[in-house]
Amino acid sequence: MANSEQFRVCPRTGLQYHKSAEALIKANAFVAVVFLLIGGLLALVIALTRWQAIHLVQADTFYMLLTAHGLDMLAFWVIFFEIAVLYFCSSTLLRCRLATPRLAWVGFALMLIGSVMVNVTVFKGDSTVMFTSYVPLPGHWSFYLGLILFAVGALIGCFIFLGTLVVAKAEKTYEGSIPLVTFGALTACIIAVFTIASGAIILIPTFLWAAGYISHIDPLMYRTIWWAFGHSSQQINVSAHVAVWYAIAAIVFGAKPMSEKVSRGAFLLYILFLQLASAHHLLSDPGLSVEWKVFNTSYAMYLAVLASMIHGLTVPGAIEIAQREKGYTRGLFEWVRKAPWGNPVFSGMFISLFGFGFLGGISGVMMGTEQLNMIIHNTLYVPGHFHATVVIGTTLAFMSLTYFLIPTLFNREVILPGLAKWQPYVFGLGMALFCLAMMGAGTLGVPRRHWDITFAGAALPYEFPGAALLMIATFAVAGVIAVIGGGMYVLVTVGSLLWGKRLDAGVYSSETSVLKMPVVSALTGHGQAAGFAAPGTFVVAMVFLTAFVLYYFVNWKYLSTVWGIA
Amino acid sequence: MSAILPPGQRLWWKQPLDRVEVTWILIAFTWCMVMFFMMPYWHVYGKQNLSTETYRTTPEAFAKKAQAVIDQYTVRTETDEKIPVVHPPAGADVFLIARLWSWQPILELEVGQTYRLHLSAMDYQHGFSLQPENINIQVLPGYEHVVKITPNRAGTYAIICNEFCGIGHHKMVSKLYVK
C-alpha cells in the first residue's frame, strides 16, 4: 500500500512531503488566508466605526460585520490553518503518508461549505448574533447548521491527524518518540476533539431551536456549554501556536528543547487543565457556585498558567542556548542582538511570544480571577485581551510559519522580501498598541460590541471620560496599522504563490526514508546538566513575573475601592 | 534533537534538568498558588464578592414583583417617557428590569446602605454595567440574581448595557442616583 504513495524531498529543508498531504496542506492554508483577508477588511470597517469621530457605518451594518469578523477570524482563519498545521506536523514531520486523504478532502469540503454558509447567512443580515450567538438572540438555522458542518469537517481533520500518527507508528517511519512539535500538535488535536464535541452538544439543539423544533434553550446552560466550545477553540490555538514557536526555534536556530520532559509535561498540563478556563466567561453570571467558579477559572490552581509560563521560558531559553553554542556568549543578551531580526520567520515568532505573554497572558489571568472579572466583564478589556492572544499570539505565529512554508511547501521564492521583513513589525506592534489601548478603554468601563458609546438618541445618555474616547481613537489608528500589516502579509503570500520564482521541488517517487533519531553521545540536554544555561532568558522571565505581580495587585487595589458587592 | 525531530534519546525523560528550568518552575508554581489562594482570601476578607443567590423566574413573575416595588417607592418620574425614580428604604429589596432597550426603574440609593438588588432580563441576555464604577454583571432571562450592593460614594451613575442585545443596544442606558 505504502509503496504506491508518492513522496518528494524538499531540496532546501530535507522535509519529505507526501503528495496527497501536500495538496491538502496547501488547500487548507490557502483558504485560511482568504478568510484572514475577509476578516481583515471587516476589521478595518469595524475599527473605523468604533472611532467615534469617523463612525463609518450604521448600527445594523456594524453589528453584522462584527459577527462576520469574529467568525471569519476566530473560527475559519485559525482552524483552516490549524488543519494544515496538523497535517504538516503528522505527515511531513513524521515522513509518512497521510491517513485516508480522500476522507480528508471530505472534511475540507464540509469545512468550506459550512464556513461559506455561515458567511452567506450573516451577510444576508439574518444572523446578527455575534460570534457567541447567545440564546435567545435569534439566528437563522442555516447559521448554526453552517457551524455544525464546519465543526464536523474539522473533527474529520483531527481524526486524520490521529490516524496518521498510527500509520507512522505502524509503518515505522520514525525512531523513538514523536518530535516535540508533533506532540504539541497532538495536544491541540486532543483539545480540538473536546472542543468540537462540546460545540455539537450545544449547537445541534440550538439549530433545532432556530428551525422551530425545540421551544426553549436555557440561556445559562447555553453559556456553560457554548463556552466549552468557544473558549476551548482558543485553547487549540494556544497549543498550536506554542508548537509553532518550538518548530520555528528549531528551524531557524536548530534549537533543541531545553528538556523534552519539561516541555512535554507542560503540554500535558494543557491537555489536563486548559479546558477548565471556559469558566472565565461565567464568573459574572448568576446561578453558579463560588467553588465551581474558583476551581475552574483557575484551571485547577493555575496549572495551565504554569504550563504557559514554562513554555514562555523554554522556547526563548532553547534559542538562547542554541545561540550561545554558536558563540554569542557575551553578556546576558548578545544572543538576542545577534538574532536574525530581518528574517520574518524569526521576528514574527519572537513578537508573537512576547505579545502573547506580556499582553495576552497577564490580562487573561486578570479577567480569569473570580472577583476581578467584575470590573472587566464585557468591557473592551476582553477583546483587548484576546486580540493579544489570538492575533499577536496565534495569527502572528502562523504568519511567521508561512514565510517558512512558501519556499518549502509551495516551492516559490518569497516576493517583496523588503516588505516581508517589515511585515511582522507593522502587524505585531500595531496589534500590541491596539490591545493596550483597548484594555485601557475597558479599564475605563467602555463596553465591547457597542456601536455608539456617546449614546446618541438615548433618553438618559452617559458621557464617558475624554480619556476613554482617546483610547478608542488610539486603538482605531493602531487597528488600521495592524490591518496594513495584515495586508502586507496577504500581498506577500498570495503574490509569492502567483508570481514568486519557481524553486526546485524535488522529484516525486515512492522511495521514503526513515526519520532517524539524532546521534547524541550522552543523556544530557545540551551538555550542561545542573548548569545555568539560559541566564538571559531567566532575567527576562523575572521581568515578566515582576510586571505580572505588580499589575495583579494593582487590579486588586482598584477592586477594593469599588462598591461593596456581596 | 531539535524540536522537529524525535528526542535524541529513547529514555528522554531521564535527562536531568537545567537549573534555569527548575528554578523558574518553582517560582512560577509558587506564584500560581498565591493567585489561587487570593480568591478564597478575598471571599473572607474582601468586600467585593459577587453573590450566587439565584432563583428561577419568568419575565411575567419578575415584572410583577418589580412593579409592586415601583408602585410602593416611586418618588418622581423623569424624562418624557415618565421613567419612575424609586427611592427604597435602606436594606430593601430593589428590582431592576432589563429589557429591549431600557433599564427600569431608576434607583435612588443612599451612601453606606446595603440593598438587595434583584436583576433579571425580560427578553434577551443583557449586561448590567455600572459606570463610572465599572461593575459588570451578566443578566439572563429566566434567572433572578440577587446581589447585595453597598454604594460608597454619592453621585449620579449610569447603568449601560454591555451585552449585545440587538439594534438598539447602544440606547440601553439609564441612571442611578446615590445620595
Side-chain angles (χ1 to χ4, degrees):
Chain A
M1 198 39 211
N3 289 339
S4 64
E5 302 289 340
Q6 294 288 303
F7 295 88
R8 73 174 174 89
V9 174
C10 170
R12 287 167 295 286
T13 58
L15 292 170
Q16 178 187 291
Y17 291 96
H18 175 218
K19 197 171 185 183
S20 310
E22 189 183 12
L24 278 157
I25 298 170
K26 283 181 182 174
N28 279 285
F30 181 77
V31 174
V33 173
V34 171
F35 279 111
L36 181 72
L37 174 64
I38 299 169
L41 293 172
L42 296 170
L44 189 63
V45 179
I46 291 162
L48 292 178
T49 303
R50 283 220 69 156
W51 191 353
Q52 295 283 156
I54 295 185
H55 217 41
L56 191 61
V57 296
Q58 290 306 306
D60 52 350
T61 314
F62 171 76
Y63 293 126
M64 180 177 85
L65 300 186
L66 189 53
T67 304
H69 170 73
L71 286 153
D72 285 338
M73 294 302 215
L74 278 173
F76 306 146
W77 142 249
V78 287
I79 294 180
F80 269 111
F81 201 93
E82 271 153 8
I83 296 294
V85 169
L86 287 185
Y87 293 165
F88 179 84
C89 290
S90 53
S91 166
T92 309
L93 291 185
L94 297 178
R95 301 179 92 86
C96 73
R97 66 184 174 89
L98 190 78
T100 60
R102 283 211 187 94
L103 195 57
W105 283 111
V106 173
F108 174 76
L110 283 173
M111 286 171 71
L112 194 58
I113 293 166
S115 49
V116 170
M117 187 186 259
V118 168
N119 270 280
V120 168
T121 310
V122 171
F123 282 114
K124 272 165 70 187
D126 285 340
S127 292
T128 299
V129 291
M130 300 292 146
F131 182 63
T132 44
S133 56
Y134 288 141
V135 297
L137 195 64
H140 193 268
W141 58 262
S142 59
F143 175 86
Y144 308 104
L145 183 62
L147 283 177
I148 292 166
L149 293 178
F150 178 79
V152 171
L155 192 60
I156 292 174
C158 290
F159 282 111
I160 283 168
F161 169 80
L162 296 173
T164 307
L165 297 191
V166 175
V167 167
K169 182 95 187 161
E171 296 180 359
K172 297 193 172 56
T173 64
Y174 65 97
E175 292 180 336
S177 305
I178 57 173
L180 177 61
V181 171
T182 308
F183 190 78
L186 176 60
T187 303
C189 177
I190 292 169
I191 292 176
V193 172
F194 170 89
T195 301
I196 295 166
S198 307
I201 291 170
I202 197 61
L203 286 171
I204 292 170
T206 309
F207 161 66
L208 294 172
W209 166 76
Y213 296 108
I214 291 179
S215 64
H216 178 73
I217 304 256
D218 185 89
L220 184 56
M221 179 201 73
Y222 178 91
R223 288 170 64 81
T224 310
I225 306 175
W226 192 89
W227 278 115
F229 162 72
H231 196 97
S232 305
S233 65
Q234 308 317 310
Q235 315 292 25
I236 311 172
N237 303 344
V238 174
S239 311
H241 77 227
V242 172
V244 168
W245 292 344
Y246 279 113
I248 289 176
I251 290 162
V252 176
F253 298 96
K256 312 158 189 167
M258 289 178 75
S259 147
E260 295 279 356
K261 179 165 55 182
V262 169
S263 296
R264 283 167 202 250
F267 275 123
L268 186 64
L269 289 176
Y270 275 174
I271 297 174
L272 296 176
F273 301 112
L274 202 54
Q275 300 315 88
L276 306 180
S278 60
H280 290 178
H281 301 266
L282 305 163
L283 298 177
S284 294
D285 277 34
L288 299 162
S289 74
V290 168
E291 293 78 7
W292 188 91
K293 286 178 180 173
V294 168
F295 178 82
N296 287 291
T297 197
S298 66
Y299 320 80
M301 307 182 99
Y302 288 106
L303 294 175
V305 171
L306 177 66
S308 287
M309 288 172 82
I310 291 172
H311 291 307
L313 178 94
T314 58
V315 174
I319 294 175
E320 176 171 357
I321 291 164
Q323 287 281 78
R324 284 180 185 276
E325 282 172 2
K326 290 196 189 93
Y328 301 123
T329 52
R330 263 193 297 144
L332 281 173
F333 296 115
E334 193 194 15
W335 63 277
V336 179
R337 286 198 307 277
K338 294 291 167 64
W341 292 100
N343 177 356
V345 181
F346 165 73
S347 64
M349 171 262 166
F350 214 69
I351 296 169
S352 163
L353 174 75
F354 272 76
F356 179 80
F358 276 87
L359 298 177
I362 293 178
S363 64
V365 171
M366 297 310 135
M367 306 197 307
T369 304
E370 196 223 345
Q371 294 93 338
L372 295 180
N373 185 267
M374 258 190 300
I375 52 173
I376 294 174
H377 179 69
N378 270 356
T379 66
L380 267 181
Y381 195 97
V382 179
H385 153 74
F386 72 68
H387 280 82
T389 56
V390 183
V391 185
I392 306 180
T394 309
T395 301
L396 190 51
F398 288 177
M399 285 174 167
S400 317
L401 186 67
T402 320
Y403 293 117
F404 166 74
L405 289 179
I406 290 171
T408 174
L409 174 67
F410 292 93
N411 300 307
R412 298 281 187 155
E413 203 164 78
V414 173
I415 62 160
L416 306 170
L419 203 65
K421 184 173 155 184
W422 284 104
Q423 188 274 330
Y425 296 97
V426 176
F427 185 75
L429 301 180
M431 272 327 287
L433 179 61
F434 174 90
C435 294
L436 281 170
M438 246 190 183
M439 289 184 222
T443 305
L444 295 167
V446 178
R448 66 187 291 200
R449 297 173 167 173
H450 204 278
W451 178 63
D452 183 11
I453 65 145
T454 64
F455 307 99
L460 299 160
Y462 169 66
E463 200 175 323
F464 273 104
L469 292 167
L470 182 68
M471 289 289 183
I472 290 178
T474 308
F475 91 63
V477 172
V480 172
I481 294 170
V483 169
I484 292 169
M488 289 159 72
Y489 167 78
V490 175
L491 180 65
V492 170
T493 52
V494 178
S496 299
L497 301 196
L498 292 175
W499 305 298
K501 198 179 114 199
R502 277 179 199 279
L503 300 170
D504 177 21
V507 186
Y508 286 104
S509 77
S510 53
E511 296 284 311
T512 60
S513 61
V514 173
L515 182 58
K516 291 263 196 306
M517 289 200 312
V519 182
V520 185
S521 53
L523 188 69
T524 52
H526 10 78
Q528 303 202 35
F532 206 78
T537 302
F538 188 78
V539 168
V540 177
M542 291 312 290
V543 170
F544 169 80
L545 185 72
T546 310
F548 198 168
V549 172
L550 285 176
Y551 186 60
Y552 184 72
F553 286 111
V554 163
N555 274 286
W556 281 105
K557 176 75 190 151
Y558 170 30
L559 179 74
S560 73
T561 64
V562 306
W563 290 12
I565 308 259
Chain B
M1 237 183 69
S2 114
I4 58 171
L5 296 175
Q9 307 288 335
R10 282 192 190 277
L11 304 179
W12 46 264
W13 55 88
K14 289 192 174 170
Q15 177 195 316
L17 300 185
D18 188 274
R19 273 194 315 186
V20 168
E21 277 184 302
V22 178
T23 315
W24 177 245
I25 290 169
L26 291 176
I27 292 171
F29 182 74
T30 310
W31 172 236
C32 289
M33 290 304 111
V34 170
M35 291 196 296
F36 178 75
F37 285 104
M38 200 57 205
M39 289 188 283
Y41 168 86
W42 202 259
H43 274 282
V44 179
Y45 297 102
K47 290 194 171 61
Q48 294 81 13
N49 292 290
L50 188 63
S51 113
T52 57
E53 186 180 346
T54 307
Y55 305 95
R56 282 198 184 273
T57 186
T58 60
E60 298 74 31
F62 186 81
K64 201 173 153 198
K65 284 201 282 184
Q67 194 57 47
V69 175
I70 293 170
D71 292 343
Q72 199 176 355
Y73 300 121
T74 295
V75 289
R76 61 178 188 279
T77 61
E78 280 193 14
T79 77
D80 298 341
E81 293 156 38
K82 303 229 178 316
I83 305 169
V85 179
V86 170
H87 189 125
D93 283 88
V94 293
F95 290 76
L96 192 62
I97 300 173
R99 63 153 60 98
L100 301 173
W101 287 286
S102 69
W103 300 95
Q104 295 266 1
I106 296 172
L107 298 172
E108 193 171 83
L109 308 176
E110 288 169 22
V111 179
Q113 301 296 336
T114 299
Y115 302 85
R116 282 166 55 83
L117 175 65
H118 297 239
L119 293 165
S120 190
M122 297 292 104
D123 31 55
Y124 299 159
Q125 302 192 17
H126 295 286
F128 170 92
S129 177
L130 184 76
Q131 297 301 332
E133 206 62 15
N134 205 10
I135 293 170
N136 306 284
I137 302 168
Q138 190 76 18
V139 185
L140 303 179
Y143 289 87
E144 181 174 343
H145 191 186
V146 187
V147 184
K148 274 193 238 159
I149 53 168
T150 313
N152 58 7
R153 273 182 294 273
T156 302
Y157 294 83
I159 298 169
I160 64 178
C161 178
N162 69 5
E163 182 59 71
F164 172 69
C165 57
I167 186 74
H169 172 46
H170 66 279
K171 292 186 183 172
M172 188 167 166
V173 51
S174 178
K175 284 206 176 339
L176 185 149
Y177 299 104
V178 177
K179 301 212 158 160

